[in-house]
Amino acid sequence: MSAPVTAVEAARARRRWLTIPLVLLVALALALGLVVLAAGAVLLHRYGGESTPHYADDVRHFRYGSIGADRSSGLPYRVWQELPGLFPEVFRPALERGDGAYAVFGFLYERKPDGTPFDLPIGISRRRVNGVELVWFNCAVCHAGTWRREGGERVIVDGMPSNNLDLYRFIRFLLAAANDDRLAPDRLLARLEASQGRFGLVERVLWRHVVLPRVRGELLLRLVRLDPLLAVQPEWGPGRVDTFNPYKLIQFSVPLGALEPGERIGTSDFPSIFLQRPREGMQLHWDGNNTSLHERNLSAAVGAGLDLPNATSADHAAIRRVARWLLDLRPPPSLLAAGDAASVARGREIYMRVCAACHGYQDGARYVFEGARLGQVEPIGRIGADRARLDSYTPAFLRQQREQLGFTRFTKTDGYANHPLDGLWLRGPYLHNGSVPTLADLLAPPEARPRAFLRGDDTLDEGRGGFRSPPCAPGEPVPPGRFCFDTTRPGNGKDGHDYGTGLSQAEKEDLLAYLRTF
């Protein structure tokens, strides 16, 4: 039998019992808070921040390292991997050959020891951003190419022009895909889960309501901005790009109607990027519109999809690393057919008299970057080449680069720059717009140069200098991976640069023998 309880003790007991649920409620709240915090920490770790693979080797970094363009322009890796299955009618030729899927557009793949292609092509980087693995372009997509001898294996060369890449076809494919029901978020999510495994609950919500709608929305925005421009341009073909017009429409949101008709076609060849150190201070780009390697590099990165005004977009350390490596990247020695020593010696004498002042010269295995007009702009009235690329870079665009991107070294020129010719054997077709297939053709009068020829073959033309480029008939079918380049189309003119065209045939043969050593 319990002892009697006084009123004070009863009140005290009631307070103790009332305290217990309050403590339990506080404890429960704290526990739930810890769970929420823990869950939040897990989600933040998985869906926040970013990371990108690091490559100790400079070549691997050049080929696969991110420059930051994947942050602002990238496609989700899962979507990139799924597109070949979604659009088999586009990718089937490459897959049937056992190539990497995107080889159908001329992307280059390295191969594993078992002969199968790498997961991603050269020039495509990876970066995980807010829990989503993204892929997009880096420098190598435009500046790694290949050569082969007849029937031989393909050899990849870093720093040469991307002579296989048909960027125009790839862009048109992505823009067309944006309007295809196969990219509708519900349908694409179901496809991804069926082929790549089920998503977790949170991830599924994120992809259905954020990632996939954003992918399609960004592509549709580019469709609206770019498709009208591409529709009025001649198809670029492999190894070529319009450098600045897409830049105007995407980076600066300029509508096509605001562009003057004379500036709408600026297609030119991808350049080589060997031995950049001697080029510092020269007038760079085809038209010589900048003398700073640093600004030229950043501008090229913007063209690859970098959102430069956003400080978090550019991976400046990665870009600087590539830039440092390129300072002394030498081209491989020429493997074009060697002429006899006497012919090469005679050709060298002709070259030193006719060409060296503008282009420097080859001295054995070393290229000499010396010449009174080397790296300077040759006025368009003197050089006479197709002026479309020159006219595409306008004073209005120059102002936008300065005001919106902070560039200070760009300028408007009146011609094309005299570039060094190091690695010349890997730089065909020739002239800024790739309108002359071989060095032998470049020594012919403009009216005698081929009117139309095939691009896209990386087999060396060892005698004529360059790559095999047989004639073609515009509008007629061509072999897979080839493109009939018509020099009568706007921006494709083969006129100009008539230096050496008045030499005798014997002198041309000697000069060509020397040029094949570059």
Side-chain angles (χ1 to χ4, degrees), residues 310-373:
N310 179 358
T312 64
S313 176
D315 191 330
H316 291 285
I319 295 171
R320 285 195 299 270
R321 182 180 173 188
V322 171
R324 286 194 301 269
W325 180 65
L326 292 174
L327 290 175
D328 301 302
L329 177 66
R330 303 180 67 85
S334 175
L335 294 179
L336 296 179
D340 65 84
S343 180
V344 170
R346 291 192 299 271
R348 187 180 191 278
E349 291 180 1
I350 296 168
Y351 179 93
M352 297 301 291
R353 185 175 72 249
V354 177
C355 314
C358 290
H359 297 294
Y361 60 96
Q362 188 76 24
D363 184 17
R366 181 177 68 102
Y367 198 83
V368 180
F369 293 82
E370 295 176 2
R373 292 197 54 76

Side-chain angles (χ1 to χ4, degrees), residues 47-51 70-71 127-134:
Y47 299 107
E50 64 176 61
S51 61
D70 30 28
R71 286 170 172 154
R127 183 180 291 268
R128 189 175 183 84
V129 179
N130 295 330
V132 180
E133 195 83 20
L134 301 174

Side-chain angles (χ1 to χ4, degrees), residues 114-397:
D114 64 1
T116 58
F118 276 27
D119 184 38
L120 291 173
I122 291 171
I124 301 296
S125 64
R126 300 177 71 159
R127 183 180 291 268
R128 189 175 183 84
V129 179
N130 295 330
V132 180
E133 195 83 20
L134 301 174
V135 297
W136 200 241
F137 298 163
N138 67 14
C139 305
V141 75
C142 298
H143 303 292
T146 60
W147 65 270
R148 69 177 95 197
R149 285 197 163 109
E150 184 70 43
E153 290 294 318
R154 170 179 276 180
V155 178
I156 297 170
V157 179
D158 300 298
M160 73 173 280
S162 293
N163 51 341
N164 305 275
L165 179 63
D166 196 333
L167 193 56
Y168 181 95
R169 285 186 55 238
F170 176 67
I171 293 172
R172 293 304 293 265
F173 160 70
L174 285 183
L175 297 183
N179 250 344
D180 195 293
D181 284 344
R182 285 172 280 190
L183 248 60
D186 280 327
R187 190 170 175 181
L188 181 51
L189 181 62
R191 173 76 188 215
L192 289 172
E193 289 195 311
S195 63
Q196 300 182 27
R198 298 281 296 177
F199 289 80
L201 176 62
V202 174
E203 193 173 30
R204 196 174 198 280
V205 172
L206 176 69
W207 277 72
R208 170 59 187 86
H209 296 287
V210 179
V211 177
L212 296 181
R214 180 175 179 179
V215 168
R216 197 176 197 193
E218 289 292 328
L219 289 176
L220 287 170
L221 179 60
R222 279 162 172 71
L223 173 67
V224 170
R225 290 180 178 175
L226 272 183
D227 202 54
L229 171 70
L230 298 179
V232 301
Q233 291 186 332
E235 190 172 345
W236 303 346
R240 305 176 80 231
V241 66
D242 187 322
T243 308
F244 291 116
N245 281 316
Y247 197 145
K248 299 170 189 174
L249 274 58
I250 293 175
Q251 296 291 339
F252 298 144
S253 302
V254 177
L256 178 66
L259 303 184
E260 295 294 330
E263 68 175 290
R264 295 180 180 181
I265 298 172
T267 315
S268 55
D269 267 25
F270 295 123
S272 66
I273 51 173
F274 303 121
L275 292 171
Q276 292 299 294
R277 189 184 301 278
R279 288 170 163 82
E280 182 67 70
M282 292 185 187
Q283 291 188 267
L284 308 167
H285 281 149
W286 290 117
D287 59 346
N289 63 14
N290 200 304
T291 58
S292 164
L293 290 177
H294 174 67
E295 284 201 0
R296 189 277 315 272
N297 294 341
L298 284 181
S299 175
V302 172
L306 194 70
D307 184 12
L308 190 58
N310 179 358
T312 64
S313 176
D315 191 330
H316 291 285
I319 295 171
R320 285 195 299 270
R321 182 180 173 188
V322 171
R324 286 194 301 269
W325 180 65
L326 292 174
L327 290 175
D328 301 302
L329 177 66
R330 303 180 67 85
S334 175
L335 294 179
L336 296 179
D340 65 84
S343 180
V344 170
R346 291 192 299 271
R348 187 180 191 278
E349 291 180 1
I350 296 168
Y351 179 93
M352 297 301 291
R353 185 175 72 249
V354 177
C355 314
C358 290
H359 297 294
Y361 60 96
Q362 188 76 24
D363 184 17
R366 181 177 68 102
Y367 198 83
V368 180
F369 293 82
E370 295 176 2
R373 292 197 54 76
L374 177 64
Q376 298 180 28
V377 168
E378 205 69 24
I380 189 66
R382 185 182 303 156
I383 197 169
D386 189 299
R387 63 177 300 135
R389 165 61 183 80
L390 172 65
D391 293 341
S392 73
Y393 189 82
T394 63
F397 181 64

Side-chain angles (χ1 to χ4, degrees), residues 89-113:
E89 70 279 9
V90 175
F91 291 90
R92 187 175 292 114
L95 296 174
E96 289 178 347
R97 294 193 303 267
D99 296 335
Y102 289 84
V104 76
F105 300 111
F107 287 90
L108 300 177
Y109 285 84
E110 294 185 82
R111 291 191 176 269
K112 304 173 187 176

Side-chain angles (χ1 to χ4, degrees), residues 34 37 175 433 497:
L34 290 173
L37 286 174
L175 297 183
N433 59 355
H497 199 281

